[in-house]
């Protein structure tokens, strides 16, 4: 749900609102391509491949497979963060005024200690908010007779709301590169950080971790990755790409309610 919300809902809204306000917007193709390639690899390995392995029946990885995939996910995410923040950070800066942008970002960057403290507080706040809201959301969904899967989408949407709002505001300010960095970075963190942690817990406590998507969501995920790769392949976007992603998000929600 989180990947569909980000790639179709958040990115689509950013491209649509940015296109309506500024006509055509540009971004660094190299950075976006790296993010999409990493996201595609992580998504398929963790959400699609479990449906096709033969060691265990069903959408399950065997313990050895689970450990391997969790390690690979962490390696891919760590490598992407290294490239984005240290080795090739220029790939993720706006094309115009890159040096000025880089220096201004560096001068206003928080310390490592402050970053760790803020991250810890954010994680605690997100977890507590999700646990507090879950019963209320479940009751509301049951009242209207919607499928239980809607609860997960609502909770994921609430958790991703801060990044989504920031990405939309950046797109409306004609900072599409910043907008895409926020959106795609959030999607990568969702898989690249969450999956290794969940895998470690599953191995420690001997849980049966179901990762594979059902056939409908698998098709929609693969379609989303394909469309995202094509729509963000030129370095420029208009409202066309925005409408396309919003429509895919609407299809995802409709198929969730009417499976």
């Amino acid at each position: 749900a989180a990947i569909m919300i980000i790639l179709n809902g958040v990115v689509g809204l950013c491209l649509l609102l940015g296109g309506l306000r500024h006509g055509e917007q540009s971004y660094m193709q190299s950075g976006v391509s790296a993010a999409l390639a990493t996201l595609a690899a992580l998504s398929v390995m963790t959400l699609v491949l479990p449906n096709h392995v033969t060691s265990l029946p069903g959408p399950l990885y065997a313990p050895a497979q689970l450990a391997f995939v969790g390690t690979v996910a962490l390696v891919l995410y760590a490598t992407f963060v290294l490239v984005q923040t240290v080795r090739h950070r220029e790939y993720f800066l706006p094309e115009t005024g890159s040096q000025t942008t880089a220096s201004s970002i560096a001068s206003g960057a928080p310390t490592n200690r402050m970053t760790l403290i803020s991250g810890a507080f954010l994680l605690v706040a997100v977890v507590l908010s999700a646990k507090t809201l879950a019963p209320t959301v479940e009751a509301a969904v049951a009242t209207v007779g919607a499928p239980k899967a809607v609860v997960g989408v609502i909770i994921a949407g609430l958790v991703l709301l801060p990044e989504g709002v920031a990405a939309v505001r950046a797109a409306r300010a004609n900072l599409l590169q910043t907008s895409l960095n926020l959106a795609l970075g959030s999607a990568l963190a969702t898989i690249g950080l969450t999956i290794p942690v969940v895998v470690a817990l599953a191995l420690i406590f001997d849980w049966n971790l179901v990762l594979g998507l059902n056939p409908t969501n698998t098709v929609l995920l693969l379609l989303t990755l394909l469309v995202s790769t094509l729509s963000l392949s030129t370095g420029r976007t208009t409202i066309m790409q925005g409408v396309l992603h919003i429509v895919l998000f609407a299809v995802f929600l409709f198929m969730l309610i009417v499976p």
Side-chain angles (χ1 to χ4, degrees):
I3 303 302
M4 301 299 290
I5 291 172
I6 295 170
L7 286 185
N8 288 328
V10 175
V11 171
L13 195 59
C14 291
L15 300 183
L16 178 59
L17 296 180
L20 288 173
R21 191 165 190 175
H22 302 285
E24 185 180 75
Q25 294 183 290
S26 62
Y27 56 90
M28 283 290 288
Q29 177 60 43
S30 51
V32 171
S33 293
L36 284 176
T38 307
L39 184 58
L42 288 172
S43 299
V44 172
M45 282 192 302
T46 57
L47 301 175
V48 178
L49 190 58
N51 291 318
H52 302 282
V53 295
T54 57
S55 296
L56 289 177
L60 297 171
Y61 275 136
Q65 295 171 329
L66 204 56
F68 179 76
V69 169
T71 302
V72 168
L74 186 60
V75 168
L76 282 177
Y77 180 70
T79 304
F80 175 81
V81 171
L82 176 66
V83 169
Q84 185 185 41
T85 59
V86 180
R87 299 279 297 184
H88 301 286
R89 63 180 305 184
E90 68 275 7
Y91 291 173
F92 302 88
L93 295 173
E95 291 181 276
T96 57
S98 296
Q99 296 300 321
T100 302
T101 304
S103 60
S104 64
I105 290 174
S107 63
T111 63
N112 291 336
R113 181 172 179 271
M114 183 59 68
T115 300
L116 290 174
I117 294 174
S118 299
F121 275 116
L122 177 61
L123 180 61
V124 171
V126 167
V127 172
L128 290 178
S129 297
K131 292 185 69 175
T132 302
L133 290 172
T136 303
V137 174
E138 289 178 358
V141 168
T143 300
V144 299
K148 290 185 177 180
V150 176
V151 175
V153 174
I154 295 175
I155 296 296
L158 291 174
V159 171
L160 296 169
L161 187 60
E163 292 93 339
V165 171
V168 170
R169 291 180 61 185
R172 284 177 55 81
N174 205 23
L175 299 171
L176 186 60
Q177 182 66 54
T178 301
S179 177
L180 292 175
N181 287 345
L182 287 167
L184 298 180
S186 178
L188 283 166
T190 300
I191 296 184
L193 286 180
T194 304
I195 292 297
V197 171
V198 174
V199 164
L201 293 174
L203 292 173
I204 292 172
F205 296 104
D206 196 24
W207 294 342
N208 284 327
L209 184 59
V210 179
L211 291 175
L213 298 174
N214 62 42
T216 300
N217 286 334
T218 297
V219 171
L220 288 175
L221 173 64
L222 295 178
L223 177 61
T224 294
L225 293 173
L226 173 62
V227 170
S228 298
T229 302
L230 294 174
S231 64
L232 297 175
S233 64
T234 63
R236 297 184 179 275
T237 62
T238 64
I239 61 170
M240 181 67 239
Q241 287 91 341
V243 170
L244 181 58
H245 284 274
I246 291 293
V247 168
L248 285 179
F249 187 57
V251 172
F252 167 68
L253 293 178
F254 181 79
M255 291 300 175
L256 190 68
I257 298 172
V258 186

